[in-house]
Structure formats: structure tokens, C-alpha cells
Amino acid sequence: MTTWQTVRALVPRRSAGLPPGQREVRTFPRFSDKPLRWPPPSGPVELSISIEGEPITHLTGDQLATMDQAEQVGDLHCVTTWTYRGLRWQGVRLSSVLAPDMVAELPPFAVAHAADKQSVIFATDDLLMPDVLLATHLDGEPLDQRHGAPLRLISPSQYGYKNVKHLTAIDFRKHEPTSTLGPKEHLRARVALEERHASLPNWALRLPYRFMIVPTALAAERGLRTSPESDAAAQ
Ligand SMILES: Nc1nc2c(c(=O)[nH]1)N[C@H]1C(S)=C(S)[C@@H](COP(=O)(O)O)O[C@H]1N2
Ligand SMILES: [Mo]
């Protein structure tokens, strides 16, 4: 696609059946609150799960591949109001990698860490929803650098920023962790309830956020192009 076609596909449009305040985009962009940041170098799946830093499980890609595979189709809703529809994710349900007696003992909060240094806070209840996936594949292909290789947390009922790309660790916590993203991170960020921000009202956010979509997506594309592993950088 030319840049112009990409920009046109990124202009958010009204569409029936979307959650409150959301608009549809026709291309699935790379997106981030730090769009120029490079994706991490590619490597194998390694996921550590811990409670207050004490390891309870460690999973590799080979182990995940032997577990029950789940596939689900869903939409990704970015807090800046864009929605991309019909993504087919494949992976393993987070609730199924934890033993039932372990699930009963989990403290109420969690922090998910990513290889690009992003970290995101959760209420444990949201992570235990049956549609929360440790995704390894998108539309039948292994995840790429753009969309979160090698492992991504998919939580369809929460805004995009809770769908952590390049996932490396989940640490459960007794007390609510401080967000590294500041007040723009809502602990729960449930799309249906329009929990966009920890303190600002939705009417004040929707329009300014909407204007950020195209510039942010173009910057994120540039971040990908200039990363050490990109084809463009290698030539
Ligand atoms: N590790 C990591 N995960 C992330 C982000 C990020 O910058 N780093 N951006 C989040 C945001 S704001 C959104 S909307 C989605 C975008 O996913 P995409 O880049 O696959 O479109 O990823 C989320 N997960
Ligand atoms: Mo987002």
C-alpha cells in the first residue's frame, strides 16, 4: 500500500455494532503510546509467571505447542478510538496454563511485562476471563514483529493497551501496582464500559485521541522500518 492508501484506511469511520466511542479502521496498524520505539529483537517464546516475584511457572514455545490450542476471532479496540475487526488469534488460554488450585490462590492484581520494556497492570479477574489468550499466531501465521512476536497477551474485552505484545512475564501482586503509563492507564480498561482513562472523562478524550491515530500509526511504522532487524535497515 502507498502511504496515501494507508492513511485513507486509517481514517476511523462509523460502523454498526462497535462499542461506545469506537470507529472502524480498514488496516491493522502497528500502534503504541511510544510509536518510535523499536520492537525487541526476535527470539524464542519464554514466559515467566510469578507471585510477588516468586516463580510459579515458566513456559517455553515448545511447551505451549503441546498444550490445548485455542482459536478465536475478535476485534482489537485501541483506546484512541480505532477498532480493527475480525482478527483470528491462536494460542493457549491463560487460565489453562495455571493449575486450578493455583488459580484459587492468586492475589488480586498483576503486572505483565514485555520485551520492549512496556509493562501493564491488571486486575487478576480480567486475566482469568476465558477469552484471554497467550497468542502465538495471527491469521494462521506466527506473530510478526509488528503485532507482538513471539508471544502476545490477547484480552478482547479490554482496550488495546492491555493486549501486551512481546510478552515475557506476568507477576501477580497482593497490592495494586503503580502504573508505569501514568493516569492514561485505567486498571481495568473494559471496552464495553468505556474505561479509557484513570481520571479524565471520555468526552474530553475521544476527539483528541482520534486526531492522534494517523500520526501515531505512521510514526509506529517508521519505528518498525528503522529497527535493526527490519529489511530496510539491513540493506
Ligand atoms: N509490548 C507492547 N505492547 C503493546 C503496545 C506497545 O507499545 N508495546 N502498544 C499497545 C497499544 S496502545 C495497542 S492499541 C496495541 C496495538 O497493537 P498492534 O500494534 O498489533 O496494532 O498494542 C498494545 N500492546
Ligand atoms: Mo492503543
Side-chain angles (χ1 to χ4, degrees), residues 31 35 89 153 215:
F31 214 83
W89 302 103
L153 188 72

Coordinates of all heavy atoms in Angstrom, one line a residue, residues 31 35 89 153 215:
F31 N 0.9 -0.1 16.5 CA 0.4 1.1 17.3 C 1.0 1.0 18.7 O 1.3 -0.1 19.2 CB -1.1 1.1 17.4 CG -1.7 2.5 17.5 CD1 -1.9 3.2 16.3 CD2 -2.0 3.0 18.7 CE1 -2.4 4.5 16.4 CE2 -2.5 4.3 18.8 CZ -2.7 5.0 17.6
P35 N 5.4 5.2 19.8 CA 5.4 4.6 18.5 C 6.8 4.5 17.8 O 7.0 3.6 17.0 CB 4.5 5.6 17.7 CG 4.5 6.9 18.4 CD 4.6 6.5 19.9
W89 N -6.9 -15.1 16.3 CA -5.8 -15.4 17.1 C -5.8 -16.9 17.5 O -6.8 -17.5 17.7 CB -5.8 -14.6 18.4 CG -5.9 -13.1 18.3 CD1 -7.0 -12.3 18.4 CD2 -4.8 -12.2 18.0 NE1 -6.7 -11.0 18.2 CE2 -5.4 -10.9 17.9 CE3 -3.5 -12.4 17.7 CZ2 -4.6 -9.8 17.7 CZ3 -2.7 -11.2 17.4 CH2 -3.3 -10.0 17.4
L153 N -0.3 -11.3 24.7 CA -1.5 -11.4 25.5 C -2.7 -10.8 24.8 O -2.6 -9.7 24.3 CB -1.3 -10.7 26.9 CG -2.3 -10.9 27.9 CD1 -2.2 -12.3 28.5 CD2 -2.2 -9.9 29.0
P215 N -1.1 10.1 12.8 CA 0.3 10.4 13.0 C 1.0 9.3 13.9 O 2.1 8.9 13.6 CB 0.3 11.7 13.8 CG -1.1 12.2 13.9 CD -2.0 11.2 13.2

